[in-house]
Amino acid sequence: MRRVFWVLGLSLLWAGPCRAVDIGMLLDAAAGQPGHEIRALSVVESGLQEQRAAAGLFPRLGLYGRFESYNSPTNLRPMPPTEVNVQAGDSLPFSREILRYGLSFDAPVYVRELYVLRQKAALLREKAETDQQLDLLGRQAAVVSLNSALAYLEGLEAAIRARRASLQKTLEDMALKVKTGRSAEAELLKIQKTLNDLDQQRNDLSARRLDTLREIQALTGMTLSEAVPMALAGKPEKTGLLPVTAARQNADAARREVERRQATRWPAVSLTGFVSGNEGEAYNTDRRIDRDYHEVALVLKFPLFDRTLGTYVAIARAQAEKAQKQLDQTRIDTAALEDALAGKLPIIESSIDLARQSIQDSQALLAVARVSLRAGRMTLEDYLRYESDVLSAEAALYQARQQWWQVLSQQAALYGTDLKGVVK
């Protein structure tokens, strides 16, 4: 029976193998991290701020109730002289205790400040959406760049292992020559020193590899053991410059703030009123009395003097000028970065082709050098240089590939291109 359960357990284990991680999963994971979700919440918050600004244009209604107590009879509402016949014993609408209740309303008819505020809030919401996109593309570009760096380190480590295996074989051949007296024992020390140097390089690469894996985990929340494969799906297309868009939206919002501050000096027209019921006890007859009282008013307000308004306008103008300067600088920086990336790409692609050719040439020369060393027509020092040339050529290829992916990911973030359309 125990054996049956053991077999069933193995069957379930093999029935659900872990899905292999690919670059698309890493990019999706980067979008789901709490650091990026903060940006999403900022978009939600800015949308609510826009709704609040728009809500200021709607009427405000409210119910109220109030109990008042006076030391002398007070009228429930203003009363015309002919309303009550005192001689006939009518109750006067005056009482020491009055209960008031009803409905109040206030509606803007034309308040320019509210309209400008709504426009500013809409711009800030668009700015928050752009910032969210910038943050996501920056995180995804970092994932692609780190994964390419990880591939570079792993490729270089594999190249070191290959060179070490080659040198180990040379060490064995040289040991036979030393044993038969055809070579000095110092030759073995030279090869061993080169092997030690390669081991030290490999240790350094292992430490850098752990740091890179840690950074990928911090960005995605996923733990990798090796770089995931990447292939080009399509180069980024220029549809705009996202940092410039964000800076322009910020400058537009700052200009709207200047308009809003200036709009506080404009006349404001609003509609106010109330519907009120008033109850009390007539002081002259002690009978219960009630009087309705309603009001509708069209109110025009015009600020004559408020020194703080001018200060607020001056502050808003300074902030708008600062935002415009930031926009101008962002345009300069972004244009310089765009030109640099566009210029680097063909150079890096040429370097990749040259590195591939250099690897082939270096490997061919190494094969010739190995034969010459065995025949005694080449010194060990010269042979070790050929081994080093092969490693340098392979390192140049892996580094150029890493730089190529870095440039592409930077271009995607700059142009606002989804990384899933660039890498697969």
Side-chain angles (χ1 to χ4, degrees):
M1 190 68 177
R2 184 178 300 175
R3 179 180 177 83
V4 172
F5 282 116
W6 182 78
V7 172
L8 287 174
L10 284 180
S11 300
L12 291 173
L13 181 64
W14 287 105
C18 295
R19 181 184 175 187
V21 177
D22 56 32
I23 189 63
M25 295 172 62
L26 289 179
L27 296 179
D28 289 337
Q33 294 306 298
H36 178 65
E37 290 177 349
I38 292 175
R39 294 288 185 178
L41 291 174
S42 296
V43 173
V44 174
E45 180 183 359
S46 62
L48 293 174
Q49 294 285 3
E50 183 182 6
Q51 293 179 19
R52 185 180 69 172
L57 299 172
F58 287 83
R60 292 185 295 272
L61 301 175
L63 293 173
Y64 70 90
R66 188 169 68 180
F67 178 77
E68 302 171 356
S69 179
Y70 301 92
N71 64 346
S72 64
T74 302
N75 59 325
L76 272 66
R77 60 166 172 76
M79 182 186 68
T82 58
E83 180 178 337
V84 177
N85 187 351
V86 180
Q87 302 299 330
D90 292 345
S91 297
L92 288 171
F94 283 76
S95 176
R96 287 186 174 86
E97 295 180 346
I98 301 174
L99 174 64
R100 304 184 190 275
Y101 52 88
L103 174 70
S104 64
F105 64 91
D106 182 6
V109 176
Y110 180 77
V111 182
R112 178 172 172 77
E113 180 185 2
L114 295 179
Y115 292 98
V116 179
L117 178 61
R118 184 175 62 174
Q119 295 171 357
K120 176 190 172 183
L123 288 171
L124 290 177
R125 175 187 52 78
E126 294 174 0
K127 170 67 164 48
E129 292 173 351
T130 304
D131 288 342
Q132 181 189 21
Q133 187 180 6
L134 272 172
D135 181 74
L136 174 60
L137 291 175
R139 289 173 177 272
Q140 291 182 337
V143 169
V144 172
S145 179
L146 287 169
N147 188 63
S148 65
L150 187 60
Y152 159 69
L153 295 173
E154 291 173 353
L156 190 54
E157 190 173 1
I160 289 176
R161 286 197 301 268
R163 298 281 62 76
R164 200 183 188 290
S166 176
L167 285 173
Q168 188 64 40
K169 183 64 171 63
T170 304
L171 180 65
E172 294 172 0
D173 294 342
M174 190 60 66
L176 291 176
K177 291 184 178 182
V178 171
K179 187 175 181 179
T180 58
R182 290 182 294 165
S183 295
E185 190 172 353
E187 302 294 295
L188 295 178
L189 296 177
K190 295 176 183 178
I191 299 176
Q192 188 60 53
K193 181 181 180 303
T194 304
L195 289 172
N196 292 339
D197 292 340
L198 290 176
D199 289 339
Q200 184 61 49
Q201 292 181 38
R202 190 165 58 179
N203 288 339
D204 294 340
L205 291 176
S206 297
R208 291 169 58 186
R209 182 172 175 274
L210 290 174
D211 290 338
T212 305
L213 288 171
R214 174 185 55 80
E215 293 180 24
I216 293 176
Q217 183 179 2
L219 278 172
T220 64
M222 301 180 70
T223 303
L224 300 181
S225 58
E226 59 184 8
V228 300
M230 291 191 301
L232 182 66
K235 289 189 176 181
E237 295 183 1
K238 182 180 178 181
T239 57
L241 297 174
L242 208 55
V244 174
T245 300
R248 184 174 61 251
Q249 291 168 339
N250 188 57
D252 291 342
R255 284 192 289 270
R256 286 291 184 274
E257 177 63 14
V258 175
E259 293 181 23
R260 186 182 77 85
R261 292 298 183 179
Q262 291 173 334
T264 57
R265 296 175 172 176
W266 286 47
V269 182
S270 61
L271 187 68
T272 64
F274 60 83
V275 176
S276 175
N278 306 280
E279 297 181 3
E281 188 175 280
Y283 81 100
N284 63 329
T285 62
D286 293 332
R287 290 197 295 264
R288 197 71 183 169
I289 54 174
D290 64 85
R291 293 289 191 276
D292 292 339
Y293 192 49
H294 314 312
E295 178 192 54
V296 176
L298 188 65
V299 181
L300 172 65
K301 290 184 179 180
F302 190 90
L304 292 178
F305 178 77
D306 187 346
R307 189 165 183 173
T308 60
L309 298 181
T311 304
Y312 285 136
V313 171
I315 293 173
R317 282 176 176 167
Q319 293 174 341
E321 185 177 358
K322 183 172 67 173
Q324 181 61 44
K325 295 298 182 183
Q326 291 173 343
L327 172 59
D328 295 339
Q329 187 62 51
T330 301
R331 283 196 177 109
I332 295 173
D333 296 342
T334 305
L337 178 60
E338 180 186 15
D339 293 341
L341 294 177
K344 277 183 179 180
L345 202 56
I347 295 175
I348 295 174
E349 290 172 349
S350 176
S351 296
I352 291 175
D353 294 335
L354 291 173
R356 287 171 177 163
Q357 185 61 47
S358 180
I359 290 175
Q360 295 178 4
D361 296 341
S362 298
Q363 288 176 341
L365 290 173
L366 178 62
V368 174
R370 187 177 292 113
V371 174
S372 299
L373 179 65
R374 289 173 180 173
R377 297 192 302 270
M378 178 179 289
T379 63
L380 181 61
E381 289 82 356
D382 291 337
Y383 172 78
L384 293 177
R385 279 195 292 270
Y386 284 107
E387 287 277 7
S388 179
D389 288 344
V390 173
L391 182 58
S392 298
E394 291 177 332
L397 175 61
Y398 298 135
Q399 186 176 23
R401 286 176 177 171
Q402 177 193 2
Q403 293 173 345
W404 186 72
W405 280 115
Q406 286 176 341
V407 169
L408 286 178
S409 59
Q410 284 182 291
Q411 283 184 328
L414 192 64
Y415 297 152
T417 304
D418 188 355
L419 266 296
K420 287 187 175 181
V422 176
V423 62
K424 62 180 180 180

